[in-house]
């Protein structure tokens, strides 16, 4: 994921006044970089287990974003 998308994600999150967490930044950056709508599974598949973003975390962040 590009540094520009991470920066854009942090800026958007900051503007909401919400807490900036790594999963929120990572998932929002994935969505910003996507050229089309992504399903929960497609977002989840962008991360490996080493990044510490599991299925439940992806679901919670997507729910929070909506």
């Amino acid at each position: 994921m590009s540094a520009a998308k991470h920066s854009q994600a942090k800026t958007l999150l900051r503007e909401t006044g919400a807490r900036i967490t790594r999963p929120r930044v990572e998932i929002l950056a994935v969505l910003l970089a996507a050229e089309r709508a992504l399903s929960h599974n497609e977002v989840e598949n962008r991360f490996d287990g080493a990044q510490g973003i599991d299925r439940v975390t992806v679901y919670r962040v997507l729910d929070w974003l909506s």
Side-chain angles (χ1 to χ4, degrees):
M1 192 59 46
S2 74
K5 292 300 177 191
H6 278 93
S7 178
Q8 184 181 7
K10 285 180 184 177
T11 299
L12 289 169
L13 290 169
R14 207 172 279 118
E15 288 173 358
T16 68
R19 197 167 49 116
I20 298 173
T21 64
R22 190 180 57 77
R24 286 180 180 179
V25 171
E26 295 288 339
I27 292 168
L28 185 53
V30 164
L31 295 172
L32 291 169
E35 296 180 10
R36 62 180 179 78
L38 299 176
S39 70
H40 174 272
N41 285 335
E42 290 172 315
V43 173
E44 182 184 356
N45 289 336
R46 304 283 172 115
F47 303 103
D48 61 17
Q51 291 173 303
I53 301 176
D54 61 15
R55 171 177 288 209
V56 173
T57 302
V58 172
Y59 178 80
R60 287 180 180 159
V61 171
L62 291 174
D63 184 54
W64 177 82
L65 284 169
S66 63

